[in-house]
Amino acid sequence: MKDIFERLKAGEFVPLTDLEFYKVNAVVARTLALSPALNAATTVEQIHQQLSNIIGATIDKSTTLFAPFHTNFGRFISIGKHVFINHACSFLDMGGITLEDHVLLGPKVNLITENHPLDPVNRRGMICKPIVIKRNAWIGAGATILPGVTVGENAVVAAGAVVSKDVPANTVVGGIPAKILKTIEQ
């Protein structure tokens, strides 16, 4: 049988009554305990150290994060080089979030990998799907990226957009739900 973390990342339904859910709760408790230090940090070095502690990997010195930053889990976040994460971004990462090199996130961007079934009987369970933001993509202020979405290389997500489907490389998307607005000429 697969570990609960493998099942979450594989997109399997995991009920909150799962016998291994205590493992998830332990990571969440640890992340909640570490988050105040991240959000009280006063130097870039402190922010790098605190975020590295939360995600369990070293943040490259070329990456910039402006606090506050919010995550409920933290262990399934992967951040590349030369990434910029503006104020008040929120990552729900149990499904896995990957930010490739040179990604830009505006303020109040929400990356949500976690969802619940429509069936009321199982609604308290979780279904997670990864989010991948490819190289050099730009996510505008207040945009929300939903579970299972890949934003292609060089793509732009307009401010306030809600993205529920993959965004092709070299396109601009916007609206609710987000639709392709134009192609970026190279």
Side-chain angles (χ1 to χ4, degrees):
M1 183 167 131
K2 290 191 270 185
D3 175 85
I4 192 167
F5 299 121
E6 293 171 307
R7 290 183 283 136
L8 285 167
K9 286 186 84 175
E12 295 178 22
F13 171 70
V14 177
L16 295 183
T17 57
D18 188 288
L19 295 177
E20 289 194 315
F21 219 87
Y22 73 93
K23 294 178 181 179
V24 172
N25 291 334
V27 173
V28 169
R30 180 182 181 280
T31 299
L32 291 175
L34 293 172
S35 292
L38 168 65
N39 290 318
T42 57
T43 69
V44 171
E45 293 78 21
Q46 288 175 351
I47 288 173
H48 281 167
Q49 183 60 53
Q50 296 304 326
L51 185 56
S52 295
N53 289 341
I54 289 171
I55 71 171
T58 301
I59 300 297
D60 190 82
K61 292 185 187 317
S62 64
T63 288
T64 301
L65 173 103
F66 288 165
F69 174 79
H70 308 284
T71 183
N72 65 332
F73 193 71
R75 298 307 268 183
F76 293 161
I77 298 171
S78 174
I79 300 174
K81 296 177 181 177
H82 303 282
V83 171
F84 178 79
I85 302 170
N86 213 322
H87 298 280
C89 289
S90 183
F91 290 17
L92 301 184
D93 65 290
M94 283 187 212
I97 293 173
T98 301
L99 304 179
E100 293 186 354
D101 295 346
H102 299 278
V103 165
L104 302 172
L105 300 183
K108 297 184 180 180
V109 166
N110 299 297
L111 303 181
I112 313 296
T113 69
E114 303 159 21
N115 206 351
H116 303 280
L118 290 176
D119 174 16
V121 173
N122 293 315
R123 191 163 296 152
R124 305 253 336 142
M126 300 188 69
I127 299 171
C128 301
K129 294 182 181 173
I131 291 174
V132 178
I133 312 296
K134 295 284 197 175
R135 187 178 194 287
N136 208 39
W138 172 23
I139 313 299
T144 298
I145 312 296
L146 296 176
V149 169
T150 295
V151 176
E153 190 169 328
N154 301 318
V156 176
V157 174
V162 176
V163 183
S164 59
K165 294 181 180 167
D166 288 352
V167 176
N170 302 303
T171 60
V172 177
V173 300
I176 303 174
K179 293 180 179 13
I180 295 174
L181 301 176
K182 64 180 160 181
T183 300
I184 300 170
E185 299 299 326
Q186 298 230 339

